Amino acid sequence: MPITKLRNIGIAAHIDAGKTTLTERILYFTGTKRKIGETHDGQATMDFMKQEQERGITIASAAITCKWNEHQINLIDTPGHVDFTIEVERSLRVIDGMIAVFCAVGGVEPQSETVWNQADRYRVPRIAFINKMDRTGADFYAVVEQMHKYLDANAVPVQLPMGSENDFKGTVDLIKMKAYIFENDTRQEIDIPAEFYDSAKKARENMLEKLSEYSDEIMEAFLESKELSTDTIKKALREAVKNLLITPVFCGAAYKNIGVQLLLDAVVDYLPSPVDIGAVVGQDIDDVNKTHSRIPSNNDHFSALAFKLINDPYVGQQTFVRIFSGRLESGMQIYNASKRKYERIGRIFRIKAKEREEISEAGAGEIIALVGMKYTKTGDTLCDPQHPLLLESIHIPVSVIELKITPAKQKDKDKLGEALSKLVNEDPSFTARFDPETEETIISGMGELHLEIMVDRLKEDFKLDVIVGEPSVSYRETITSFSEANYRHVKQTGGKGQFAHTLIRLEPNTEKGYEFIDLIKGGVIPNEFISSVDKGIRTAMQKGALAGYPVVDVKAVLFDGSFHPVDSSDMAFQICAQECFKQAFLKANPVLLEPIMKVEVNTPDEYIGDIVSNINRKRGKIESMRRYRKGSQKIVALIPLMEMFGYSTQLRNLSSGRANFSMEFLKYSELPTEIQERIIKLAQEKKNKK
């Protein structure tokens, strides 16, 4: 199939906007499935994990290939819950276009904004679908207005609903100026009913006026009141969507099969092919100032990005890959430029959710799964060994919540390590580490639900009985002033001794991470040991001297020292640098930092007072309050994560179950002195017990 007839698209939205239901209808109408699966009965094709079926939500992004109007559509359904934002991140990195789904009742909700901002980061062209027009409280025009106000989207309706709630009959196409009604899985084109004609005519004029800002042809015809052909309007709209100038808005009710076929037409008509997106640009693997481009063609050098790993009980590890250029064949040798390792292609699969179809080759623009990859992880670049490059990787959000986890049976200790390793490979926003001092395994994630799902998977997928400790906050340590330390490491044990001497200055490096500066002159420390000092400091930063938490935002300057021609070694300088760093760190007024979450609460007006008071008691800071929809408001607040445990239960009690919230990590901020002292004291007591 020509690359121009390929569409790589994602479906993204707030939780419960109807993404998976819409995807099921797309699979049904494209003939990929004969039966429609539903989220509420656990039968949705794309929600095939047991945890998804039990909760009725999407947890992992799932890919599937289908065909419509002689076009191939590679479709990725993504989660709506903020705890699984990595799934949206990695999907947006590899798609060419997106359907943003909004609930006609809920409108623009917290995760809608998060997803929209993520799509902005990757410059993904998008169309909007206002779903659930048949629901009580549905308001098409209010949602369009919210898209303007909260997303800064140039939202332009190209369809209008005929009625709403129980009176929702179908849609009006403003390009063709025809109406559509839907019965027995078929769409029927009719003339626009008289009661909708005037509003449709006015909306069409508004659409053409918006398009005329970006198309000279439309502008000329619009000013001269000339008739415009459907093809001319579609061409102008497609160009505006590709350049992120306009977001066309469609509507329907996916659960009742209304508007889905027209949305599929829109995917083909308005969302770009890989050719429309153009060349992908990568960095030279040896020179950061040099770039290489690859055009979406089977004839260019091979380049691809690994964006997801899953462990399949039948075929082993599958690596999901987006091919940007060139061809891939079974048995071929390719180069992992991120790991600087060669990989041999085993089997290639076209993905159909949990099912797969084996193919012998794949070309530019395709999304496929590879089996047999040894070194490749999420975000790695795969390329032609003779023409290597590094593509932009995937943004991995910071994990902010921790749990202690131990196997119920001691003999399962190794099995737990293997299972956690597989889960970490699959989900880079999930981390696991062993603390040798406390002899505990610590898992970290994006939120309570995220870790709950991971623990559930250990029990269900890996048949491990595990005991989970209380959730704890992943604090950080940093410095607030300048300091210097002079440390000499000398150890004599009969044979060859150890000698290293370093003088290190530490400076605050707020929100810029770790930076190492070498100011050694005259070879007082040989070049081969400079990197040893850097390594030693990095090791010391993994466990801060204040309370054992990782150290962040520090600039370390190595400005003097000495060495011994016989006794100095890589290890001696690493040990010396660790001790020197610790001494300087404790003199630089160190403090603890805590994760601050951006929390968005949607609540009916009558509970505003109680919810705001509760936020204030949590050391929260109200950023904004705005009208969410009639009778409801949205509160945006910054609240320390340590205050958020169990908040879902508290909010339910405060609002009789009517309010909801979402939260995402925003930044690290200094802890109040009294809380900081308490945490340091607890850490010290824990250390003394050991």
Side-chain angles (χ1 to χ4, degrees):
M1 183 173 287
I3 301 174
T4 52
K5 289 185 175 286
L6 193 59
R7 299 288 183 273
N8 291 313
I9 68 164
I11 297 186
H14 187 88
I15 194 167
D16 208 30
K19 297 180 307 301
T20 302
T21 301
L22 174 61
T23 306
E24 288 297 315
R25 271 59 186 179
I26 287 174
L27 300 184
Y28 176 69
F29 285 116
T30 56
T32 308
K33 274 194 72 193
R34 291 182 183 174
K35 178 179 176 290
I36 295 174
E38 304 293 3
T39 52
H40 57 76
D41 60 16
Q43 297 300 309
T45 304
M46 305 298 264
D47 287 352
F48 52 83
M49 288 170 62
K50 184 174 184 290
Q51 294 78 12
E52 295 176 312
Q53 292 165 354
E54 287 174 350
R55 292 167 175 81
I57 62 169
T58 302
I59 292 166
S61 55
I64 201 159
T65 300
C66 52
K67 288 185 169 62
W68 183 257
N69 286 357
E70 299 178 350
H71 285 68
Q72 179 179 312
I73 299 173
N74 293 325
L75 177 66
I76 298 179
D77 176 29
T78 62
H81 197 289
V82 72
D83 277 19
F84 309 105
T85 189
I86 179 63
E87 296 291 338
V88 183
E89 273 300 331
R90 56 175 155 204
S91 301
L92 288 169
R93 175 64 186 85
V94 297
I95 58 177
D96 300 321
M98 183 177 98
I99 303 172
V101 182
F102 300 92
C103 172
V105 182
V108 175
E109 299 192 80
Q111 185 65 1
S112 311
E113 294 186 53
T114 302
V115 169
W116 197 268
N117 292 336
Q118 286 173 303
D120 280 342
R121 174 158 59 224
Y122 293 110
R123 292 196 56 75
V124 178
R126 64 213 83 152
I127 59 177
F129 181 70
I130 297 177
N131 192 23
K132 303 190 180 185
M133 281 303 306
D134 58 324
R135 289 271 298 273
T136 303
D139 190 334
F140 175 83
Y141 299 99
V143 179
V144 172
E145 183 55 38
Q146 286 174 20
M147 287 177 69
H148 284 297
K149 188 174 178 183
Y150 303 137
L151 305 179
D152 198 23
N154 195 359
V156 179
V158 294
Q159 279 181 358
L160 291 186
M162 291 196 289
S164 64
E165 302 182 346
N166 290 332
D167 297 327
F168 182 53
K169 303 183 181 74
T171 61
V172 174
D173 183 339
L174 301 177
I175 296 173
K176 285 185 176 179
M177 281 303 275
K178 288 287 182 182
Y180 291 89
I181 54 174
F182 301 82
E183 288 176 3
N184 302 322
D185 298 346
T186 60
R187 53 176 160 169
Q188 184 184 343
E189 186 177 289
I190 60 170
D191 289 331
I192 300 171
E195 68 262 38
F196 299 112
Y197 190 81
D198 287 345
S199 58
K201 190 178 176 186
K202 187 178 177 184
R204 178 183 162 90
E205 284 178 9
N206 176 64
M207 176 189 74
L208 293 175
E209 189 178 337
K210 287 277 187 186
L211 272 176
S212 69
E213 295 174 25
Y214 312 109
S215 165
D216 292 340
E217 193 175 356
I218 303 268
M219 170 72 84
E220 193 178 313
F222 188 69
L223 291 174
E224 295 175 13
S225 301
K226 284 184 185 173
E227 273 302 308
L228 279 159
S229 70
T230 299
D231 286 345
T232 302
I233 298 172
K234 282 185 174 180
K235 183 184 169 188
L237 191 55
R238 180 183 178 81
E239 199 62 26
V241 170
K242 185 184 86 173
N243 293 310
L244 276 70
L245 301 170
I246 277 178
T247 304
V249 183
F250 301 83
C251 62
Y255 185 63
K256 291 189 176 172
N257 301 346
I258 298 176
V260 179
Q261 298 105 313
L262 296 176
L263 186 65
L264 278 164
D265 289 345
V267 166
V268 168
D269 289 341
Y270 307 121
L271 288 180
S273 72
V275 174
D276 296 319
I277 294 295
V280 65
V281 177
Q283 196 180 77
D284 187 274
I285 63 170
D286 296 317
D287 184 353
V288 293
N289 298 313
K290 191 176 175 184
T291 59
H292 304 281
S293 62
R294 299 282 183 269
I295 60 169
S297 161
N298 292 340
N299 300 319
D300 204 346
H301 304 303
F302 174 72
S303 68
L305 188 78
F307 68 96
K308 184 177 172 70
L309 272 69
I310 63 169
N311 285 287
D312 188 285
Y314 303 106
V315 298
Q317 183 176 285
Q318 291 183 62
T319 306
F320 283 65
V321 168
R322 160 70 194 265
I323 302 174
F324 289 99
S325 62
R327 291 197 72 75
L328 193 62
E329 296 174 10
S330 296
M332 205 169 128
Q333 188 183 59
I334 57 172
Y335 187 59
N336 182 327
S338 307
K339 298 285 189 298
R340 304 217 173 194
K341 301 263 190 185
Y342 290 93
E343 293 268 28
R344 175 97 34 203
I345 300 301
R347 301 161 74 189
I348 306 173
F349 290 103
R350 186 164 283 132
I351 301 302
K352 295 188 174 177
K354 68 176 176 181
E355 296 166 5
R356 62 195 79 78
E357 171 197 346
E358 187 161 0
I359 54 179
S360 59
E361 60 178 15
E366 293 206 61
I367 292 176
I368 42 107
L370 303 176
V371 173
M373 308 296 276
K374 289 182 180 177
Y375 310 107
T376 304
K377 305 289 185 225
T378 297
D380 284 359
T381 299
L382 302 173
C383 56
D384 182 335
Q386 304 305 315
H387 301 89
L389 82 166
L390 272 171
L391 300 173
E392 180 191 351
S393 191
I394 294 166
H395 171 72
I396 309 294
V398 180
S399 55
V400 291
I401 183 171
E402 296 183 341
L403 280 179
K404 294 189 286 286
I405 188 166
T406 51
K409 299 171 186 167
Q410 195 60 27
K411 67 183 176 90
D412 287 339
K413 198 172 179 182
D414 290 343
K415 195 177 170 186
L416 175 64
E418 288 169 19
L420 288 173
S421 177
K422 286 179 179 176
L423 291 176
V424 168
N425 271 345
E426 287 186 24
D427 182 351
S429 67
F430 172 72
T431 61
R433 62 184 170 84
F434 181 72
D435 187 333
E437 194 165 297
T438 60
E439 294 185 350
E440 292 173 337
T441 299
I442 311 291
I443 58 173
S444 311
M446 300 298 297
E448 288 178 276
L449 179 61
H450 187 200
L451 293 185
E452 181 190 317
I453 297 291
M454 288 305 189
V455 170
D456 202 27
R457 287 193 63 192
L458 287 171
K459 292 175 180 176
E460 293 292 335
D461 300 359
F462 298 96
K463 309 300 178 199
L464 272 166
D465 190 10
V466 292
I467 300 163
V468 178
E470 285 293 306
S472 60
V473 177
S474 180
Y475 297 104
R476 296 288 185 268
E477 299 183 15
T478 195
I479 57 173
T480 57
S481 64
F482 290 69
S483 71
E484 289 183 3
N486 179 347
Y487 186 77
R488 189 184 296 264
H489 174 67
V490 184
K491 195 171 184 183
Q492 209 66 44
T493 53
K496 183 184 173 184
Q498 288 185 15
F499 180 88
H501 176 211
T502 57
L503 280 82
I504 292 171
R505 180 168 67 249
L506 297 186
E507 304 172 11
N509 206 29
T510 310
E511 294 184 14
K512 291 179 184 172
Y514 167 66
E515 198 177 335
F516 176 72
I517 295 173
D518 167 26
L519 293 183
I520 293 298
K521 290 185 175 67
V524 293
I525 297 176
N527 277 339
E528 64 263 31
F529 296 138
I530 301 295
S531 61
S532 306
V533 175
D534 185 22
K535 274 187 216 166
I537 292 172
R538 287 176 188 272
T539 302
M541 287 177 67
Q542 290 171 14
K543 214 171 174 87
L546 200 57
Y549 293 103
V551 177
V552 295
D553 299 339
V554 169
K555 184 187 288 184
V557 182
L558 174 65
F559 63 92
D560 204 355
S562 61
F563 78 105
H564 188 280
V566 176
D567 291 349
S568 287
S569 65
D570 167 60
M571 188 49 66
F573 269 97
Q574 283 197 49
I575 294 167
C576 180
Q578 286 179 46
E579 289 303 317
C580 194
F581 176 84
K582 284 177 188 173
Q583 288 186 8
F585 181 80
L586 289 170
K587 289 194 285 185
N589 296 317
V591 293
L592 282 182
L593 304 175
E594 63 177 338
I596 303 295
M597 311 304 285
K598 180 185 176 187
V599 181
E600 301 194 358
V601 183
N602 298 322
T603 174
D605 290 343
E606 58 262 43
Y607 306 111
I608 282 283
D610 289 342
I611 289 171
V612 168
S613 297
N614 183 257
I615 288 171
N616 290 333
R617 284 196 296 274
K618 292 180 176 297
R619 297 190 285 125
K621 178 186 171 190
I622 304 288
E623 287 281 286
S624 66
M625 289 171 64
R626 70 186 192 212
R627 180 63 54 199
Y628 170 51
R629 54 177 180 255
K630 192 174 179 183
S632 295
Q633 289 195 52
K634 175 183 288 190
I635 304 167
V636 179
L638 306 185
I639 308 176
L641 175 64
M642 70 182 300
E643 307 285 353
M644 290 301 294
F645 295 127
Y647 186 60
S648 52
T649 305
Q650 293 174 28
L651 187 63
R652 202 159 44 239
N653 292 337
L654 285 170
S655 66
S656 304
R658 292 177 63 196
N660 61 71
F661 82 102
S662 72
M663 69 175 183
E664 60 183 312
F665 171 73
L666 182 69
K667 62 179 180 178
Y668 273 94
S669 186
E670 190 175 333
L671 264 168
T673 308
E674 66 277 11
I675 300 175
Q676 189 166 274
E677 287 170 356
R678 191 169 72 234
I679 291 165
I680 293 169
K681 188 180 176 186
L682 284 170
Q684 195 60 49
E685 286 171 1
K686 202 172 177 183
K687 193 175 178 182
N688 293 338
K689 279 181 187 176
K690 300 301 287 185

